[in-house]
């Protein structure tokens, strides 16, 4: 949260968890005039708990405005929970199909990238050898007395920073 406040107003973005923490410190949210909860349809425990606290707070603070937003909200459920409150529906335009494209798919589909997997595997093997040599020199490797947590064991289990080039 930003410490800077303006006489003209301030907008502060935070997660549901951060807002719950603020409610612990200031149960009335005395410095807040509006609360906007986006993606409220994602019904997790913290969001449901936040809605309970906001509903109780609305009974105490009539000046507080709570705005719930969602693209896929079940309007009836939320309006009935909040005393048949007003609802504003924004008509949406046409919905377009979403196609997932992963970076590596597009990247490796290029003609010049066909030889890259072999090059990446060679670089990975070289990096493993260099790291193992360095670990052995500093005493962190298997030969340096690393025991069960040796560098080589860790590298074969995949817990080292590099991943598979496959």
């Amino acid at each position: 949260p930003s410490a800077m406040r303006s006489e003209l107003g301030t907008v502060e973005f935070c997660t549901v968890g951060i807002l719950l923490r603020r409610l612990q410190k200031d149960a009335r949210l005395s410095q807040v005039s509006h609360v906007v909860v986006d993606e409220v349809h994602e019904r997790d425990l913290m969001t449901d708990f936040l809605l309970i606290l906001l509903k109780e707070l609305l009974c105490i603070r009539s000046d507080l405005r709570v705005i719930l937003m969602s693209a896929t909200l079940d309007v009836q459920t939320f309006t009935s929970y909040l005393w048949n409150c007003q609802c504003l529906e924004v008509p949406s335009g046409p919905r377009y199909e979403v196609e997932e494209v992963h970076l590596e798919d597009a990247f490796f589909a290029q003609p010049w990238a066909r030889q890259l997997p072999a090059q990446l595997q060679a670089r990975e093997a070289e990096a493993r050898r260099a790291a193992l040599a360095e670990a052995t020199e500093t005493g962190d490797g298997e030969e340096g007395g690393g025991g069960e947590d040796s560098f080589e064991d860790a590298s074969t289990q995949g817990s080292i920073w590099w991943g598979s080039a496959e």
Side-chain angles (χ1 to χ4, degrees):
S2 173
M4 292 178 45
R5 300 233 179 245
S6 169
E7 292 178 14
L8 301 174
T10 301
V11 176
E12 183 177 328
F13 296 91
C14 66
T15 63
V16 170
I18 297 295
L19 186 54
L20 286 170
R21 179 65 86 174
R22 287 193 60 189
L23 278 162
Q24 282 181 320
K25 293 180 180 178
D26 179 11
R28 295 179 55 91
L29 290 177
S30 56
Q31 298 295 314
V32 176
S33 62
H34 293 72
V35 175
V36 179
V37 183
D38 193 14
E39 301 296 339
V40 75
H41 68 276
E42 294 179 4
R43 302 285 308 278
D44 62 359
L45 184 63
M46 289 202 310
T47 302
D48 285 352
F49 190 59
L50 176 65
L51 290 176
I52 291 167
L53 294 176
L54 288 174
K55 184 176 180 179
E56 289 179 4
L57 188 56
L58 285 168
C59 293
I60 299 168
R61 284 198 48 204
S62 60
D63 64 319
L64 181 67
R65 300 295 178 245
V66 175
I67 302 159
L68 305 178
M69 296 185 349
S70 172
T72 59
L73 179 69
D74 177 15
V75 176
Q76 185 58 38
T77 301
F78 287 94
T79 55
S80 63
Y81 178 71
L82 294 170
W83 310 288
N84 292 320
C85 62
Q86 294 179 351
C87 176
L88 172 68
E89 282 191 63
V90 178
S92 64
R95 295 186 180 188
Y96 298 99
E97 195 171 314
V98 176
E99 178 185 353
E100 276 189 39
V101 177
H102 298 277
L103 177 61
E104 59 270 8
D105 295 341
F107 181 78
F108 286 114
Q110 301 297 321
W112 52 265
R114 289 196 177 100
Q115 70 236 11
L116 282 179
Q119 290 175 341
L120 289 175
Q121 287 177 349
R123 284 186 184 170
E124 179 181 355
E126 182 182 324
R128 285 179 189 254
R129 282 192 299 274
L132 185 58
E134 183 179 329
T136 303
E137 266 181 29
T138 61
D140 294 337
E142 198 170 316
E143 295 175 13
E148 292 179 23
D149 297 326
S150 74
F151 184 86
E152 188 171 68
D153 289 344
S155 66
T156 58
Q157 293 171 4
S159 60
I160 302 300
W161 60 270
W162 57 73
S164 175
E166 298 176 346

